[in-house]
Amino acid sequence: MKNFIFFIIFSFSYSFCFTQIKSINTQVLVVGGSTGGTAAGIQSARTGAETIIVEQTNMLGGMLTAAGVSCTDGNAALHSGIWQAFREALYKHYHTRNLQTGWVSETCFEPHVADSIFKAWALNEKKLKVLYGWYFDKVLKKGNTIIGAEFINIKQERLIVTANITIDATDLGDVFSAAGCRYDLGTEDSTQSNENSAPGKSNIIQDLTWAAVLKDYGTGADKTILRPADYDPSKYYCSTSDAPCAATPYYLPTKKVLDYGRLPNNKFMLNWPAHGNDFYLNIVEMKPIEREHEFEKAKNHTLGFIYFLQTQLGMKQIGLANDELNHGMALIPYHREGRRVKGIVRLNINHIKDPYQYNLYKTGIAVGDYPVDHHHAQYAGKVPAIPFPQIPAYNIPMGSLIPKDLEGLVVCDKGISVSNIANGTTRLQPVVLLTGQAAGIVAAQSVLQKISPRKINIRTVQQKLLDNKNYLMPFYDVQPNDPGWEAIQKISLIGMLKGIGKSEGWENKMFFYPDSLIMLDEIKRSLQFLGFEILEKNELINLQNIVSVINQINFSISKKNKSAFKEIKQIPVHSFEELGLNNYDSNRPLTKRELAVLFDHFCHSLFQLPIDWQGEVHL
């Protein structure tokens, strides 16, 4: 009888445990509905792959939503892909194209509005499912290939998702770490990063921030919160010019500091670095669900700053927004830094400063223009000095999304293969949206073509990004509504026409100068990989001598590819006009815009030549 009862109890317990494990299958699994993960999942589904996003919160968008960082940094003039589509949706919602409500950014919005936009997009994709409330726990591997992941929720229930391709869209690189992939964490030395300015090896990461959304409840309101445990007002001294301070106070008054992150509808993003709510907490190597306890320290630090604003600085009418996030407090921290995967290629600050000294820019899949910016003020020890260089606008190579060691995995968000210094600019929200969109295309193409991500034709991915109006070269002065925009992007990726980078304070730029002229010798140097000389005489390019260049390019390619060659005698007037060009004059010099359009049209196979991960052309 005892054995029978034990058998019944054991059977019931086994059955109960078994029912807590759910298994599903998909083509592309996105681990994390982060900023990059949201873009990746939506784009993967749009590209044609069955896709599932698994997210631990109840929001989509990561930094932009659940983390409460809803004033964006950078890319204001780069109207690229899903980043620009997101801004257009915000303009439509707020009935204005002026979203510079706070002085930190040209694009400020309420987190719940961004969440609603991303969720509406996700619901519109029949090939996309989003599962909320699941923390990543472990990877599923078969040999050296990731075949999915296992998740856990707060009820200790388990979810197993198998997939052809997995995208690590976690803030801290949890998936590739669990899979045994090599990665970097913390500051680096020059032998590790190939940067003379690298400060030295340490495990120090940037401060995180537990952001909050505040609201002005009006004159006479008292929204003072309860005094937080272990509250110490001296932590927030010098945070504004009105605050008590025994050292050097921040130069702006409290009202202006709040306006830093002013949002629509009398709300404020509280993400203030100067003696505010930045907080040092290195929990990277913990399991995601185990981090929650440690995060209470960062939350309490932010509550202390709010209490300081209300009681010490007279802002009692400014309280936590009861209609945002978790009663005004973010659902997750704003991580500025985590693990960085060792990818097929690794972007460092040298590639960003001097792109044309290398060929990585030819493999570009996303663009950025924010200065290198690290937050280290809250670390208790001594942080190695990092001389942040001035940089132009730049692009990110496709090989930085693909791990060197593992198959079946694509990386986006902050875990891409970059140096510690470069992470100070690639980590920003618009850039992460764009790298996520590229990761979605890479993953979907891998599934649809039934090949490894590392075997995908880079030009195929770039063309699909161009089809989505994604910048691949960060030209400030040629926007997607320019008829020559795509041709300029393509010809520049080949290296025939180059831009000039400029650092202008917090607005780093790269100019194409589309109306400028160019000498034949510049074209000749850029086409040395074809193995021929174009012309002996160096002169400005016009409609007469460009024909010789076009014929030599096409002949060289046809000879290498053993394909038919068709010589042209001249550029027909009707072709010139059909391409949207004006002023047909065979003797006048052609502008860079005109050259890009003509080369793209008459030498279209140039862009189809395969390139390797370093940007070298292979005929």
Side-chain angles (χ1 to χ4, degrees), residues 50-107:
E50 297 287 346
T51 305
I52 292 176
I53 299 174
V54 183
E55 161 59 19
Q56 69 185 49
T57 72
N58 62 354
M59 300 184 82
L60 278 181
M63 289 185 284
L64 297 167
T65 58
V69 188
S70 57
C71 284
T72 60
D73 295 295
N75 285 35
L78 297 174
H79 306 277
S80 182
I82 198 168
W83 156 238
Q84 184 60 24
F86 173 63
R87 286 200 289 182
E88 293 294 337
L90 290 172
Y91 300 151
K92 183 177 180 180
H93 174 84
Y94 287 110
H95 305 291
T96 179
R97 299 187 72 83
N98 181 9
L99 294 180
Q100 195 168 5
T101 49
W103 53 265
V104 69
S105 173
E106 291 186 20
T107 308

Coordinates of all heavy atoms in Angstrom, one line a residue, residues 50-107:
E50 N 9.9 32.7 -40.1 CA 9.1 32.5 -38.9 C 10.0 32.9 -37.7 O 11.1 32.3 -37.5 CB 8.6 31.1 -38.8 CG 7.7 30.6 -39.9 CD 6.3 31.3 -39.8 OE1 6.0 31.8 -38.7 OE2 5.6 31.2 -40.8
T51 N 9.5 33.9 -36.9 CA 10.4 34.5 -35.9 C 9.6 34.5 -34.5 O 8.4 34.8 -34.5 CB 10.8 35.9 -36.3 OG1 11.4 35.8 -37.6 CG2 11.8 36.5 -35.3
I52 N 10.4 34.3 -33.4 CA 9.9 34.5 -32.1 C 10.8 35.3 -31.3 O 12.0 35.1 -31.3 CB 9.7 33.1 -31.4 CG1 8.6 32.3 -32.0 CG2 9.4 33.3 -29.9 CD1 8.4 30.9 -31.4
I53 N 10.2 36.4 -30.7 CA 11.0 37.2 -29.7 C 10.6 36.7 -28.3 O 9.4 36.6 -28.0 CB 10.7 38.7 -29.8 CG1 11.1 39.2 -31.2 CG2 11.4 39.5 -28.7 CD1 10.7 40.7 -31.4
V54 N 11.6 36.4 -27.4 CA 11.3 36.0 -26.1 C 11.8 37.1 -25.2 O 13.1 37.4 -25.2 CB 11.9 34.7 -25.7 CG1 11.5 34.3 -24.3 CG2 11.4 33.6 -26.6
E55 N 11.0 37.8 -24.4 CA 11.4 39.0 -23.6 C 11.0 38.8 -22.2 O 9.9 38.3 -21.8 CB 10.7 40.2 -24.2 CG 10.6 41.4 -23.3 CD 11.9 42.0 -22.9 OE1 13.0 41.6 -23.5 OE2 11.9 42.7 -21.9
Q56 N 11.8 39.3 -21.2 CA 11.5 39.1 -19.8 C 10.5 40.1 -19.2 O 9.9 39.8 -18.2 CB 12.8 39.1 -19.0 CG 13.5 40.5 -18.9 CD 14.8 40.5 -18.3 OE1 15.7 39.6 -18.6 NE2 15.0 41.4 -17.3
T57 N 10.4 41.2 -19.8 CA 9.4 42.2 -19.3 C 8.1 42.1 -20.1 O 7.9 41.2 -20.9 CB 10.0 43.7 -19.4 OG1 10.0 44.0 -20.8 CG2 11.4 43.8 -18.9
N58 N 7.2 43.1 -19.9 CA 6.0 43.1 -20.7 C 6.0 44.2 -21.7 O 5.0 44.6 -22.2 CB 4.8 43.3 -19.8 CG 4.8 44.7 -19.0 OD1 5.8 45.4 -19.1 ND2 3.8 45.0 -18.3
M59 N 7.2 44.7 -22.1 CA 7.4 45.7 -23.0 C 8.4 45.3 -24.1 O 9.2 44.5 -23.9 CB 7.9 47.0 -22.4 CG 7.0 47.6 -21.3 SD 7.6 49.1 -20.6 CE 7.0 50.3 -21.8
L60 N 8.2 46.0 -25.3 CA 9.2 45.8 -26.4 C 9.9 47.1 -26.6 O 9.4 48.2 -26.5 CB 8.4 45.5 -27.7 CG 8.0 44.1 -28.0 CD1 7.3 44.0 -29.3 CD2 9.2 43.2 -28.0
G61 N 11.2 47.0 -26.8 CA 12.0 48.2 -27.1 C 13.2 48.4 -26.2 O 14.0 49.3 -26.4
G62 N 13.3 47.7 -25.1 CA 14.5 47.7 -24.2 C 14.8 49.1 -23.7 O 14.1 49.7 -23.0
M63 N 16.0 49.7 -24.1 CA 16.4 51.0 -23.6 C 15.4 52.1 -23.9 O 15.1 52.9 -23.0 CB 17.7 51.4 -24.4 CG 19.0 50.7 -24.0 SD 20.4 51.4 -24.9 CE 20.2 50.8 -26.6
L64 N 14.7 52.0 -25.0 CA 13.8 53.0 -25.4 C 12.5 53.0 -24.6 O 11.7 54.0 -24.6 CB 13.5 52.9 -26.9 CG 14.6 53.1 -27.9 CD1 14.3 52.7 -29.2 CD2 15.1 54.6 -27.9
T65 N 12.2 51.9 -24.0 CA 10.9 51.7 -23.4 C 11.0 51.2 -21.9 O 11.0 52.0 -21.0 CB 10.0 50.7 -24.2 OG1 10.7 49.5 -24.3 CG2 9.7 51.2 -25.5
A66 N 11.3 49.9 -21.7 CA 11.4 49.3 -20.4 C 12.4 50.0 -19.5 O 12.3 50.0 -18.3 CB 11.6 47.8 -20.5
A67 N 13.5 50.4 -20.1 CA 14.6 51.0 -19.3 C 14.4 52.5 -19.1 O 15.1 53.2 -18.4 CB 16.0 50.8 -20.0
G68 N 13.4 53.1 -19.8 CA 13.0 54.5 -19.5 C 13.9 55.5 -20.1 O 13.8 56.7 -19.8
V69 N 14.8 55.1 -21.1 CA 15.7 56.1 -21.7 C 15.1 56.6 -23.0 O 15.5 56.2 -24.1 CB 17.1 55.5 -21.9 CG1 18.1 56.5 -22.4 CG2 17.6 54.8 -20.7
S70 N 14.1 57.5 -22.8 CA 13.3 57.8 -24.0 C 13.6 59.2 -24.5 O 12.8 59.9 -25.1 CB 11.8 57.8 -23.6 OG 11.5 58.6 -22.5
C71 N 14.8 59.7 -24.4 CA 15.4 60.7 -25.2 C 16.6 60.1 -25.8 O 17.5 59.6 -25.1 CB 15.9 61.9 -24.3 SG 14.5 63.0 -23.8
T72 N 16.7 60.1 -27.1 CA 17.7 59.3 -27.9 C 18.9 60.1 -28.1 O 18.9 61.3 -28.0 CB 17.2 58.8 -29.2 OG1 16.8 60.0 -30.0 CG2 16.0 57.9 -29.1
D73 N 20.0 59.4 -28.3 CA 21.3 60.0 -28.5 C 21.9 59.7 -29.9 O 22.1 58.6 -30.3 CB 22.3 59.5 -27.5 CG 22.0 59.9 -26.1 OD1 22.0 61.1 -25.8 OD2 21.7 59.0 -25.2
G74 N 22.1 60.8 -30.7 CA 22.8 60.6 -32.0 C 21.9 60.3 -33.1 O 20.7 60.1 -33.0
N75 N 22.5 60.3 -34.3 CA 21.8 59.9 -35.6 C 20.6 60.8 -35.9 O 19.7 60.4 -36.7 CB 21.4 58.5 -35.6 CG 22.5 57.5 -35.8 OD1 23.6 57.8 -35.3 ND2 22.3 56.4 -36.4
A76 N 20.6 62.1 -35.4 CA 19.5 62.9 -35.7 C 19.4 63.3 -37.2 O 18.3 63.4 -37.7 CB 19.6 64.2 -34.8
A77 N 20.5 63.4 -37.8 CA 20.5 63.7 -39.3 C 20.6 62.6 -40.2 O 20.7 62.7 -41.4 CB 21.6 64.8 -39.6
L78 N 20.7 61.4 -39.6 CA 20.8 60.1 -40.4 C 19.5 59.4 -40.4 O 19.1 58.7 -39.5 CB 21.9 59.2 -39.9 CG 23.3 59.8 -39.9 CD1 24.3 58.9 -39.2 CD2 23.8 60.1 -41.3
H79 N 18.7 59.7 -41.5 CA 17.3 59.2 -41.5 C 17.2 57.8 -42.0 O 16.7 57.5 -43.1 CB 16.5 60.2 -42.4 CG 16.6 61.6 -42.0 ND1 15.8 62.2 -41.0 CD2 17.4 62.6 -42.4 CE1 16.2 63.5 -40.9 NE2 17.1 63.7 -41.7
S80 N 17.7 56.9 -41.2 CA 18.0 55.5 -41.7 C 17.0 54.5 -41.2 O 16.8 54.4 -40.0 CB 19.4 55.2 -41.2 OG 19.8 53.9 -41.7
G81 N 16.5 53.7 -42.1 CA 15.8 52.5 -41.8 C 14.8 52.5 -40.7 O 13.9 53.4 -40.7
I82 N 14.8 51.5 -39.9 CA 13.8 51.4 -38.8 C 13.9 52.5 -37.8 O 12.9 52.9 -37.1 CB 13.9 50.0 -38.1 CG1 12.6 49.7 -37.4 CG2 15.2 49.9 -37.2 CD1 12.6 48.2 -36.9
W83 N 15.1 53.1 -37.7 CA 15.3 54.3 -36.8 C 14.4 55.4 -37.3 O 13.7 56.1 -36.5 CB 16.7 54.6 -36.7 CG 17.1 56.1 -36.3 CD1 17.8 56.9 -37.1 CD2 16.7 56.8 -35.1 NE1 17.9 58.1 -36.4 CE2 17.3 58.1 -35.2 CE3 16.0 56.5 -34.0 CZ2 17.1 59.0 -34.2 CZ3 15.8 57.4 -33.0 CH2 16.4 58.7 -33.1
Q84 N 14.5 55.7 -38.6 CA 13.6 56.8 -39.1 C 12.2 56.4 -39.1 O 11.3 57.3 -38.8 CB 14.1 57.2 -40.5 CG 13.4 58.4 -41.1 CD 13.5 59.6 -40.3 OE1 14.5 59.8 -39.5 NE2 12.6 60.6 -40.4
A85 N 11.8 55.2 -39.4 CA 10.4 54.7 -39.3 C 9.9 54.9 -37.9 O 8.7 55.3 -37.8 CB 10.3 53.3 -39.8
F86 N 10.7 54.6 -36.9 CA 10.2 54.8 -35.5 C 10.0 56.3 -35.3 O 9.0 56.7 -34.7 CB 11.3 54.3 -34.6 CG 11.1 54.6 -33.2 CD1 10.0 54.1 -32.5 CD2 12.0 55.4 -32.5 CE1 9.8 54.4 -31.1 CE2 11.8 55.7 -31.1 CZ 10.7 55.2 -30.5
R87 N 10.9 57.2 -35.8 CA 10.6 58.6 -35.6 C 9.4 59.1 -36.3 O 8.6 59.9 -35.8 CB 11.9 59.4 -36.0 CG 13.0 59.3 -35.1 CD 14.0 60.4 -35.2 NE 14.8 60.3 -36.5 CZ 15.7 61.2 -36.8 NH1 16.0 62.2 -36.1 NH2 16.4 61.0 -38.0
E88 N 9.2 58.6 -37.5 CA 8.0 59.0 -38.3 C 6.7 58.6 -37.5 O 5.7 59.3 -37.5 CB 8.0 58.4 -39.6 CG 9.1 58.9 -40.6 CD 9.0 60.3 -40.9 OE1 7.8 60.9 -40.9 OE2 10.0 61.0 -41.3
A89 N 6.7 57.4 -36.8 CA 5.6 57.0 -36.0 C 5.4 57.9 -34.8 O 4.2 58.2 -34.5 CB 5.8 55.6 -35.6
L90 N 6.5 58.4 -34.2 CA 6.4 59.3 -33.1 C 5.8 60.7 -33.6 O 4.9 61.2 -32.9 CB 7.8 59.5 -32.5 CG 8.4 58.4 -31.7 CD1 9.8 58.7 -31.3 CD2 7.5 58.1 -30.5
Y91 N 6.3 61.1 -34.8 CA 5.8 62.4 -35.3 C 4.2 62.3 -35.5 O 3.5 63.2 -35.2 CB 6.4 62.7 -36.6 CG 7.9 62.9 -36.5 CD1 8.7 62.6 -37.7 CD2 8.6 63.4 -35.4 CE1 10.1 62.8 -37.6 CE2 9.9 63.5 -35.4 CZ 10.7 63.2 -36.5 OH 12.1 63.4 -36.4
K92 N 3.8 61.2 -36.0 CA 2.4 61.0 -36.3 C 1.6 60.9 -35.0 O 0.5 61.5 -34.9 CB 2.2 59.7 -37.1 CG 0.8 59.4 -37.5 CD 0.6 58.1 -38.3 CE -0.8 57.9 -38.7 NZ -0.9 56.6 -39.5
H93 N 2.1 60.3 -34.0 CA 1.4 60.2 -32.7 C 1.3 61.6 -32.1 O 0.2 61.9 -31.6 CB 2.2 59.2 -31.8 CG 1.6 59.2 -30.4 ND1 0.5 58.4 -30.0 CD2 1.9 59.9 -29.2 CE1 0.2 58.6 -28.8 NE2 1.0 59.5 -28.3
Y94 N 2.4 62.3 -32.0 CA 2.4 63.6 -31.3 C 1.9 64.8 -32.2 O 1.9 65.9 -31.8 CB 3.8 63.9 -30.8 CG 4.1 63.0 -29.6 CD1 5.1 62.0 -29.6 CD2 3.4 63.2 -28.4 CE1 5.4 61.3 -28.5 CE2 3.8 62.4 -27.3 CZ 4.7 61.5 -27.4 OH 5.0 60.7 -26.3
H95 N 1.6 64.5 -33.5 CA 1.2 65.5 -34.4 C 2.1 66.7 -34.6 O 1.8 67.9 -34.7 CB -0.2 66.1 -34.0 CG -1.3 65.0 -33.8 ND1 -1.8 64.3 -34.9 CD2 -1.8 64.5 -32.7 CE1 -2.7 63.4 -34.4 NE2 -2.7 63.5 -33.1
T96 N 3.4 66.4 -34.5 CA 4.5 67.4 -34.7 C 5.8 66.7 -35.1 O 6.0 65.5 -34.7 CB 4.7 68.2 -33.5 OG1 5.8 69.1 -33.7 CG2 5.1 67.3 -32.3
R97 N 6.6 67.4 -35.9 CA 7.9 66.8 -36.2 C 9.0 67.4 -35.3 O 10.2 67.1 -35.4 CB 8.3 67.1 -37.7 CG 7.3 66.4 -38.6 CD 7.8 66.6 -40.1 NE 8.9 65.7 -40.4 CZ 8.8 64.4 -40.7 NH1 7.7 63.8 -40.7 NH2 9.9 63.7 -40.9
N98 N 8.6 68.2 -34.3 CA 9.5 68.8 -33.3 C 9.3 68.0 -32.0 O 8.4 68.3 -31.2 CB 9.2 70.3 -33.2 CG 10.2 70.9 -32.2 OD1 11.2 70.3 -31.7 ND2 9.9 72.1 -31.8
L99 N 10.2 67.1 -31.7 CA 10.2 66.4 -30.5 C 11.4 66.7 -29.6 O 11.7 65.9 -28.7 CB 10.2 64.9 -30.8 CG 8.9 64.3 -31.5 CD1 9.1 62.8 -31.7 CD2 7.7 64.6 -30.7
Q100 N 11.9 67.9 -29.8 CA 13.0 68.3 -28.9 C 12.5 69.0 -27.7 O 12.7 70.2 -27.4 CB 14.0 69.2 -29.7 CG 15.3 69.4 -29.0 CD 16.4 70.1 -29.8 OE1 16.1 70.5 -31.0 NE2 17.6 70.2 -29.3
T101 N 11.7 68.3 -26.9 CA 11.2 68.8 -25.7 C 12.2 68.9 -24.6 O 12.1 69.8 -23.7 CB 10.0 67.9 -25.2 OG1 10.4 66.5 -25.2 CG2 8.8 68.1 -26.1
G102 N 13.2 68.1 -24.6 CA 14.4 68.2 -23.7 C 15.6 68.6 -24.4 O 15.7 68.4 -25.6
W103 N 16.6 69.2 -23.7 CA 17.7 69.8 -24.4 C 18.8 68.7 -24.7 O 19.7 69.0 -25.5 CB 18.3 71.0 -23.7 CG 18.7 70.8 -22.2 CD1 17.9 71.1 -21.1 CD2 19.9 70.3 -21.7 NE1 18.6 70.8 -20.0 CE2 19.8 70.4 -20.3 CE3 21.1 69.9 -22.3 CZ2 20.9 70.0 -19.4 CZ3 22.2 69.5 -21.4 CH2 22.0 69.5 -20.0
V104 N 18.6 67.5 -24.2 CA 19.6 66.5 -24.5 C 19.4 65.9 -25.9 O 20.4 65.3 -26.4 CB 19.6 65.4 -23.4 CG1 18.3 64.6 -23.5 CG2 20.8 64.4 -23.6
S105 N 18.3 66.0 -26.5 CA 18.0 65.2 -27.7 C 17.0 65.9 -28.6 O 16.1 66.7 -28.1 CB 17.5 63.8 -27.3 OG 17.0 63.1 -28.4
E106 N 17.0 65.6 -29.9 CA 16.0 66.0 -30.8 C 14.8 65.1 -30.8 O 13.8 65.4 -31.5 CB 16.6 66.2 -32.2 CG 17.6 67.3 -32.4 CD 18.0 67.5 -33.8 OE1 17.3 67.0 -34.7 OE2 19.1 68.1 -34.0
T107 N 14.9 64.0 -30.2 CA 13.8 63.0 -30.2 C 13.5 62.5 -28.8 O 14.2 61.6 -28.2 CB 14.2 61.8 -31.1 OG1 14.6 62.2 -32.4 CG2 13.0 60.8 -31.2

